[in-house]
Amino acid sequence: MAAINEVIDLSIEDGVAVITSNHQPVNALSAIVRDGLTAAFDKAIADDAIKAIVLTCAGRTFFAGADISEFGKPPKGASLHALFDKMESASKPIVAAIHGTSLGGGFETALVCHYRVAVPSARVGLPEVKLGLLAGAGGTQRLPRIVGAAKALDMVTSGVPVGGKAALAMGLVDELVPEGSDLRAAGVAFARKVLAEKRPLKKVRDLTVAGATPELFAEFRAKNAKAFRGFEAPEASIKCIEAAANLPFDEGKKFERDEFMKLVVGVQSQAQRYMFFAERQAAKIDGLPDGTAIRPVKRVGIIGAGTMGGGIAMNFLNKGIPVTIVETQQAALDRGTATIRKNYENTAAKGRMTQDDVEKRMAALSPSLDLGALADCDLIIEAVFENMAIKKELFGKLDKIAKPGAILASNTSYLNVDEIASATSRPQDVVGMHFFSPANVMKLLEVVRGAKTAPDVLATAMDIGKTIGKVAVVSGVCHGFIGNRMLAQRQAQANALILEGAMPWDVDRVAYDFGWPMGPFQMSDLAGLDIGWSKETSKGATIRERLCELDRRGQKTGAGFYDYDAKRYRTNSQLVEKLILDFAAEKGIQRRKIDDAEILERLVYPMINEGAKILAEGIAQRASDIDVVWIYGYGWPVYRGGPMFYADTVGAALVLEALEKHLPKLGPDFVIAPLLRQVASEGKRFTG
Ligand code: NAD
């Protein structure tokens, strides 16, 4: 083997050149790789003794993608475009030999080769849309030329890769070689076959796009309008595939390039790339001793089989971890177990799980009315009523039942984890594990670090979150932790706005247009207005209380802030409008017209302000953790990068200025965060 540079080798085996990349960990197409490949292909193409070229990668994967750390920086190294032109126009066959994940730029590299062989476990695709981008080096032009317009639309706008078998069926690879075989040798053998059979050089650019009718594109847009709402990259991708169908290759490629350039400098892709790193960063725990061990978790106990307990249990059952679930009453236990089964049966009915899978999961669930059944659990998660006295009593009992070293977790939404821990003789084993509803669906897990939580308990809670497919974020102890504490700010302003002059549907419309899946009043109606409300103590002091007194307790009663029909379709309520007007008059509030800009600023900026406090108090380890909480727990639009990133795109100074303008209306307890003032005055950013 001859080294071309530190990462690229070129060797020649009896007339076939093998170019190998060894750029760990994932053979990202960094400048050094592009430089090496350019030199290697120059050499191999110029050498008349070489009749064919095989491109392969060492390590765990073929080129996994572009080096996204280079995005947005001044270009350096050889151009991928020039390299691709060189490869595709070579006069000798180039065979890509693919294993691992060949994604984005990595897959584009494979697509400019004349032939592709792969192992069945290989995965290929163009996932750029997930970063607010599209394949910028011909991927959107070549892919539809192989798989047709319909499949290309699905692949490019979902970003979901396909496996080796599917790739073979779609013509994305020419031959599958057995798993575990010598891929390099298989590539060389395939190249020799191409030479022996004198097969023509297959250039994807010379193909035409099948099935590209105007109706296909129109239907695809209509079908996905909701999913793509607010995002720029999916529409740009669709346009590129239209261009692939309607324009000559080079013009289509230029169109793709222009669309890519618009996206890459845009806020959305910056936000989505930022979130990519933010999510990975969230797994890092500050101040943990090196080499902190993880406690093994082989059996999980859950207390409470209500809304949350059942959903939490499903996460573990899905991963084959047995669960013991405990209730106080047989009826509640049966109801909880039946709900879990029903959820699985529904999944099976949709064909996303077999009946066998359902039974396997249910068999791993042990329902019990006896707390003593939790004695052999390694992790016990409490999900009973949100009441400190009940939780303390329960943790006191658990202390006597749980085996030494068991982790005792609470799913409390707001309560002080340290106080809960104080009910035990082992506060070091107590931690908060705050799941979001529905707990089997929502990705966020806030792991609440108590004052005495042991490092290995914290590390284990974070690790188990990852095991069950959650994005776990560390939070300190405070009322409502990171997410609900900030949510309270939004809700307070939403409540104030409807007294000052807006209607619930005005507020919800602005929130929806911002990109949230629903506004605060729709969310209240969905969750139920009677959480924490009781008829006996209700004083009619708020709109919410008055609605509950009228038995308008949300969607479940067919009415709340809105009216609902039998299908839960929502309409604005004249009754609520009158109730709000009367309430405001009663309180002597002079209503005024409130424009959408004020509604948005009042919903979002107090959240940012609270985020700054959460950061300054060390409740969140870093600004990006706050953003991860909001994206994965509350449907904050990912293309806006979370509240703290959003603050940076607006500019802290402008956020501060708006808050100062609105200050008289923000409520007697509202205090502008010193950190916000500081970031604004220093012209800095929260998110670096
Ligand atoms: P829920 O009322 O649906 O369920 C609570 C269950 O706990 C009930 O089935 C009840 O019978 C059972 N229970 C009560 N005391 C018990 C005891 N001593 N032993 C065993 N079982 C007992 O409530 P939920 O919505 O599932 O909330 C549970 C916890 O999760 C609360 O702390 C809540 O704040 C938190 N939480 C709720 C949500 C949500 O959206 N619902 C989200 C995150 C966290």
Side-chain angles (χ1 to χ4, degrees):
M1 276 222 211
I4 297 287
N5 66 11
E6 293 100 299
V7 295
I8 303 294
D9 272 312
L10 171 67
S11 67
I12 301 164
E13 296 176 15
D14 196 15
V16 175
V18 179
I19 296 174
T20 306
S21 170
N22 189 0
H23 180 43
Q24 298 304 321
V26 294
N27 283 302
L29 286 157
S30 314
I32 188 168
V33 175
R34 301 193 302 273
D35 287 346
L37 288 177
T38 303
F41 276 105
D42 275 342
K43 209 165 164 184
I45 290 168
D47 185 342
D48 287 339
I50 293 173
K51 303 298 177 203
I53 304 166
V54 174
L55 176 60
T56 187
C57 288
R60 63 178 150 105
T61 179
F62 194 74
F63 304 105
D67 181 347
I68 65 172
S69 68
E70 287 183 3
F71 286 10
K73 302 211 178 115
K76 59 173 185 173
S79 135
L80 202 57
H81 296 267
L83 171 65
F84 283 180
D85 286 345
K86 192 188 302 293
M87 289 166 66
E88 196 167 47
S89 61
S91 54
K92 48 191 94 174
I94 303 176
V95 178
I98 306 168
H99 72 299
T101 45
S102 166
L103 303 176
F107 187 41
E108 292 182 293
T109 309
L111 289 176
V112 296
C113 295
H114 306 107
Y115 294 95
R116 286 160 292 282
V117 298
V119 288
S121 63
R123 286 156 62 78
V124 302
L126 298 174
E128 285 86 345
V129 72
K130 293 182 181 168
L131 297 177
L133 293 170
L134 49 80
T140 67
Q141 304 305 295
R142 291 189 178 90
L143 182 74
R145 284 177 156 81
I146 300 178
V147 302
K151 285 202 181 100
L153 282 171
D154 279 336
M155 279 183 78
V156 172
T157 60
S158 73
V160 177
V162 297
K165 259 194 191 155
L168 179 70
M170 294 161 109
L172 288 170
V173 301
D174 300 283
E175 190 174 284
L176 282 188
V177 301
E179 205 67 53
S181 58
D182 181 342
L183 191 55
R184 175 194 171 96
V188 171
F190 187 88
R192 293 202 192 289
K193 194 158 66 181
V194 169
L195 291 174
E197 293 172 4
K198 297 195 167 49
R199 290 200 203 174
L201 290 186
K202 270 197 342 192
K203 291 185 194 170
V204 177
R205 58 173 288 148
D206 295 340
L207 306 173
T208 52
V209 179
T213 60
E215 296 75 32
L216 174 82
F217 291 103
E219 278 165 24
F220 188 78
R221 283 190 169 95
K223 191 176 82 188
N224 292 289
K226 200 167 159 210
F228 297 163
R229 182 175 74 94
F231 286 92
E232 290 163 359
E235 175 55 26
S237 303
I238 298 171
K239 282 192 193 147
C240 285
I241 294 173
E242 280 175 323
N246 300 331
L247 300 176
F249 182 83
D250 288 324
E251 281 176 45
K253 201 160 156 288
K254 186 180 173 310
F255 183 87
E256 176 198 74
R257 189 75 200 145
D258 290 346
E259 290 296 312
F260 175 85
M261 291 313 289
K262 274 189 255 169
L263 291 176
V264 80
V265 297
V267 170
Q268 291 204 351
S269 88
Q270 281 174 37
Q272 288 181 256
R273 279 179 278 143
Y274 157 80
M275 280 312 302
F276 177 86
F277 290 111
E279 184 183 328
R280 276 147 193 80
Q281 189 76 8
K284 303 205 171 82
I285 311 169
D286 286 348
L288 218 59
D290 276 351
T292 301
I294 302 289
R295 295 190 188 178
V297 176
K298 299 216 165 64
R299 173 170 279 276
V300 172
I302 293 172
I303 312 175
T307 311
M308 294 306 286
I312 296 170
M314 290 175 74
N315 288 297
F316 295 98
L317 298 173
N318 291 344
K319 296 290 165 188
I321 303 173
V323 173
T324 303
I325 192 159
V326 177
E327 264 286 348
T328 46
Q329 305 288 328
Q330 188 66 45
L333 192 60
D334 291 345
R335 209 180 313 122
T337 313
T339 306
I340 295 175
R341 175 173 279 282
K342 199 179 90 208
N343 282 336
Y344 282 138
E345 302 272 4
N346 286 344
T347 309
K350 287 181 197 145
R352 287 195 270 122
M353 183 183 273
T354 65
Q355 193 58 36
D356 197 37
D357 292 333
V358 177
E359 300 309 331
K360 263 198 204 122
R361 283 166 171 75
M362 292 311 292
L365 179 69
S366 311
S368 175
L369 293 175
D370 176 16
L371 272 184
L374 301 173
D376 62 345
C377 292
D378 306 295
L379 162 68
I380 300 171
I381 304 172
E382 165 277 310
V384 305
F385 304 132
E386 184 77 343
N387 176 303
M388 182 56 96
I390 296 179
K391 291 198 197 267
K392 279 174 88 169
E393 192 195 327
L394 199 55
F395 273 73
K397 286 185 189 162
L398 273 185
D399 193 21
K400 304 203 170 55
I401 291 166
K403 68 181 182 187
I407 295 174
L408 310 181
S410 173
N411 180 48
T412 179
S413 308
Y414 293 93
L415 300 176
N416 186 325
V417 172
D418 292 331
E419 194 179 336
I420 296 174
S422 74
T424 73
S425 65
R426 38 174 140 175
Q428 74 281 1
D429 293 339
V430 177
V431 68
M433 287 180 76
H434 182 210
F435 290 81
F436 288 70
S437 183
N440 55 320
V441 177
M442 295 297 289
K443 292 270 283 180
L444 181 65
L445 174 67
E446 276 183 325
V447 173
V448 186
R449 178 185 209 164
K452 295 188 181 158
T453 304
D456 63 341
V457 169
L458 182 66
T460 305
M462 293 293 284
D463 185 68
I464 198 84
K466 195 170 166 198
T467 303
I468 59 175
K470 301 293 178 198
V471 179
V473 175
V474 177
S475 171
V477 173
C478 65
H479 188 73
F481 317 120
I482 297 171
N484 282 343
R485 179 169 158 183
M486 289 169 72
L487 180 68
Q489 292 291 326
R490 191 186 76 170
Q491 193 60 48
Q493 292 306 313
N495 293 343
L497 283 162
I498 61 171
L499 293 186
E500 288 171 37
M503 280 294 151
W505 28 96
D506 300 324
V507 175
D508 285 348
R509 176 181 40 79
V510 171
Y512 182 79
D513 289 347
F514 181 70
W516 271 302
M518 64 183 84
F521 297 104
Q522 286 167 257
M523 196 171 130
S524 301
D525 274 1
L526 181 66
L529 302 187
D530 54 354
I531 297 178
W533 175 84
S534 82
K535 204 172 196 153
E536 296 70 39
T537 54
S538 187
K539 292 196 183 69
T542 60
I543 301 282
R544 184 176 74 98
E545 285 195 343
R546 290 199 182 179
L547 289 171
C548 286
E549 287 165 12
L550 292 170
D551 207 32
R552 297 183 65 101
R553 290 184 283 128
Q555 284 194 19
K556 61 187 171 189
T557 57
F561 283 98
Y562 296 86
D563 294 330
Y564 295 90
D565 67 12
K567 287 186 178 154
R568 298 201 169 191
Y569 183 79
R570 179 184 82 243
T571 43
N572 298 350
S573 164
Q574 286 182 0
L575 184 148
V576 170
E577 184 159 349
K578 182 166 181 322
L579 189 139
I580 291 171
L581 293 176
D582 290 350
F583 189 96
E586 195 182 304
K587 302 277 170 202
I589 297 167
Q590 197 72 48
R591 286 177 66 87
R592 65 192 166 89
K593 176 152 177 37
I594 303 180
D595 62 24
D596 288 358
E598 177 177 343
I599 292 177
L600 186 63
E601 287 173 359
R602 301 243 330 249
L603 292 180
V604 176
Y605 293 0
M607 291 176 56
I608 294 168
N609 189 62
E610 199 65 25
K613 290 182 190 172
I614 282 170
L615 204 52
E617 291 166 23
I619 297 293
Q621 301 186 102
R622 47 188 89 87
S624 61
D625 281 8
I626 297 175
D627 290 335
V628 172
V629 163
W630 271 85
I631 298 240
Y632 287 109
Y634 300 85
W636 178 286
V638 60
Y639 54 79
R640 295 194 198 275
M644 305 318 282
F645 183 89
Y646 182 68
D648 288 338
T649 61
V650 173
L654 284 181
V655 173
L656 177 63
E657 191 184 306
L659 282 175
E660 279 176 330
K661 184 176 80 187
H662 299 310
L663 198 54
K665 295 174 235 125
L666 297 179
D669 299 331
F670 193 91
V671 177
I672 291 178
L675 181 62
L676 175 63
R677 290 192 191 282
Q678 189 191 331
V679 172
S681 71
E682 291 173 3
K684 289 204 173 130
R685 295 168 58 90
F686 286 108
T687 59

